[in-house]
Amino acid sequence: MRLYYYRDPIGNFGDDLNPWLWSRLLPGVLDDVGDTLFVGIGSVLDHRIPAAPVKVVFGTGVGHRRLPAIDERWKIYCVRGPLSAAALRLPQELAITDPAALVGTQDLAEEAKLYPVSFMPHFRTGARLAAGGVILEAICRDVGLNYIDPMSGIEKVLTGIRRSEIVIAEAMHGAIVADALRVPWVPVQLSGQILSLKWWDWCKSLDLEYEPHIYPPEEQGDHSLDLAEFMGSVMQRGKPILSKGSTLERVTQRLLEQLEHVRAGEGEGGWVAGRAEFIPDPQLYSADSWMHTLYRAIEEMAEILPMGKSFILVDEAKWGDGEILGGRHAIRFLERNGQYWGRPQDDKAAIQELERMRQQGASSIVFAWHTFWWLDHYTGLKHHLQSNYRCTLSSERTVIFDLRS
């Protein structure tokens, strides 16, 4: 089998765990020439997966791109969590957890606890902030945080996590590995780059809730707290999370059992479409589920929004990065230096920002269903939109205004 995963040229801990972990757990099983793909850690279950004769799925999950068509060429042993299973219409028993949890089964050297609190950002956050003149590692140093660079290599990251009493994590796989190594973690979001549904998917697999500390703070549109103060506040008041030992042990054991089937090359253990009767649970696979609502919203937007144009997205940074829709760039509302900047203070601020972004080329504004309350709260903004622009879509999932009209 040939290992398939996302390879970023600058390196990324979560993706780069693939060769490190699977070479230890599946020695001699994976190669670079086989026709069968082995799809492990990451969010790559989308339409871009190569049309290989067979695809073996072990623990990966969905992201925000178009879903693949699951047929008899797919053999699925497990996925990251219940949202991935629901999105792909798979049996929920396949929703075990992210396989990076298996790092906890490896014989790693004991490390003394040298750092009271460490911080591991998303692998693109440092560069995004640096473009605006903010050096994240220097801020961490100033507030007494140990900085774990997600691009520094697997061994260095693992050592940094094991030497920490607590890990503040923007990188999801930083939190997953910390949890597996029994290091408490605190989730944060420093930008709209973070795709919340991936975190929810994984957290639900461990009976946890995902409630990150978001920068900048959104309450009252307050942007007065700078990043150093924010990180210091999270250090002082952030409540560390750790899954129950019994829950982690249960899902880890299930992963190991499924992995044994992969090693043996047996027909048992893997789920193949069409080979077993499966009746979806209406409560998990209903039209009201978050995953299906999100994908239907993206499909609606694809039909309305012009290719090659940017658009304003009101989603409170819950839909991930600006690549949500191919050929169209999403700009967060509000935004500063390309980053989500919270809610507007009042109607005047909202309208000013809307017009500024329109003049800079935004073709439309999209309200996600969970932000429909904005149109009731910001009544001046709503009146401005209705008086000056055409509403091109108003569904249960999205409201879209064409700003070119």
Side-chain angles (χ1 to χ4, degrees):
M1 286 188 292
R2 178 160 52 95
L3 181 60
Y4 176 83
Y5 65 100
Y6 175 71
R7 293 168 168 84
D8 196 285
I10 65 174
N12 173 31
F13 175 71
D15 297 309
D16 296 341
L17 269 174
N18 279 284
W20 184 92
L21 184 61
W22 302 124
S23 65
R24 287 161 172 76
L25 294 172
L26 295 173
V29 175
L30 303 177
D31 55 45
D32 294 325
V33 296
D35 290 333
T36 299
L37 296 184
F38 181 87
V39 190
I41 301 168
S43 299
V44 294
L45 285 182
D46 58 35
H47 65 287
R48 300 173 302 169
I49 289 186
V54 178
K55 290 165 277 282
V56 172
V57 173
F58 196 95
T60 183
V62 299
H64 60 266
R65 293 181 174 88
R66 182 156 50 89
L67 298 174
I70 302 297
D71 56 26
E72 68 279 358
R73 293 173 297 177
W74 293 72
K75 189 170 185 180
I76 302 175
Y77 287 86
C78 55
V79 291
R80 180 178 56 217
L83 298 182
S84 287
L88 296 167
R89 297 188 176 275
L90 303 174
Q92 280 294 309
E93 56 262 31
L94 298 179
I96 299 180
T97 197
D98 192 291
L102 292 172
V103 170
T105 68
Q106 300 305 289
D107 187 17
L108 302 176
E110 291 289 332
E111 296 284 351
K113 296 295 185 181
L114 302 181
Y115 314 119
V117 187
S118 293
F119 172 55
M120 184 170 170
H122 184 276
F123 77 108
R124 289 200 174 116
T125 294
R128 285 173 178 253
L129 291 174
V134 177
I135 307 303
L136 187 55
E137 188 170 1
I139 287 177
C140 290
R141 184 170 56 249
D142 290 344
V143 300
L145 269 172
N146 175 58
Y147 184 79
I148 300 177
D149 184 349
M151 299 174 290
S152 62
I154 299 300
E155 297 293 348
K156 289 189 71 172
V157 172
L158 290 176
T159 298
I161 292 174
R162 301 202 310 282
R163 289 179 176 176
S164 305
E165 296 281 356
I166 296 171
V167 171
I168 297 174
E170 187 187 35
M172 186 179 76
H173 282 95
I176 293 171
V177 171
D179 196 87
L181 297 176
R182 302 284 79 189
V183 177
W185 49 278
V186 179
V188 298
Q189 284 187 14
L190 302 190
S191 76
Q193 182 74 22
I194 308 306
L195 188 61
S196 297
L197 67 87
K198 292 162 49 176
W199 279 85
W200 291 328
D201 196 24
W202 168 62
C203 284
K204 286 178 181 295
S205 75
L206 295 177
D207 299 325
L208 299 173
E209 294 296 327
Y210 176 56
E211 296 178 348
H213 299 266
I214 297 176
Y215 179 81
E218 298 179 357
E219 294 81 2
Q220 309 299 321
D222 181 11
H223 305 151
S224 61
L225 195 68
D226 68 22
L227 184 55
E229 292 174 317
F230 172 80
M231 296 305 296
S233 174
V234 175
M235 287 176 65
Q236 296 297 320
R237 292 191 284 274
K239 183 178 179 181
I241 299 169
L242 196 64
S243 66
K244 292 182 179 179
S246 58
T247 301
L248 180 64
E249 183 179 358
R250 172 177 54 81
V251 298
T252 300
Q253 185 58 40
R254 290 183 64 199
L255 287 176
L256 291 173
E257 290 169 357
Q258 292 292 71
L259 197 63
E260 196 59 39
H261 292 303
V262 176
R263 285 197 196 98
E266 300 171 2
E268 299 178 6
W271 185 86
V272 178
R275 293 192 190 173
E277 182 180 0
F278 167 55
I279 302 175
D281 181 340
Q283 291 185 343
L284 293 171
Y285 300 86
S286 70
D288 296 328
S289 72
W290 172 273
M291 289 293 297
H292 285 270
T293 303
L294 173 61
Y295 281 107
R296 283 194 304 278
I298 292 174
E299 289 174 353
E300 290 177 343
M301 292 159 59
E303 294 180 0
I304 298 289
L305 302 179
M307 288 287 291
K309 299 289 187 179
S310 61
F311 66 96
I312 301 168
L313 178 60
V314 184
D315 73 331
E316 297 183 340
K318 289 182 169 60
W319 281 15
D321 61 27
E323 298 178 1
I324 238 168
L325 215 54
R328 310 159 182 88
H329 179 66
I331 308 170
R332 264 20 196 245
F333 191 76
L334 301 173
E335 69 84 30
R336 182 176 295 181
N337 296 323
Q339 307 298 312
Y340 177 58
W341 204 251
R343 301 163 184 160
Q345 292 182 347
D346 51 32
D347 285 302
K348 180 180 179 181
I351 294 170
Q352 286 178 342
E353 281 299 290
L354 170 75
E355 290 303 315
R356 178 184 69 83
M357 296 163 82
R358 184 183 68 83
Q359 291 171 11
Q360 291 180 349
S363 65
S364 306
I365 183 169
V366 177
F367 292 85
W369 74 92
H370 51 89
T371 65
F372 284 174
W373 66 268
W374 281 48
L375 297 171
D376 294 324
H377 179 76
Y378 296 104
T379 54
L381 173 64
K382 179 180 180 179
H383 177 73
H384 179 78
L385 287 167
Q386 291 178 332
S387 300
N388 295 281
Y389 306 110
R390 181 169 60 94
C391 180
T392 53
L393 180 67
S394 180
S395 73
E396 295 178 354
R397 294 163 290 276
T398 55
V399 171
I400 303 177
F401 286 91
D402 187 343
L403 301 180
R404 300 170 299 173
S405 56

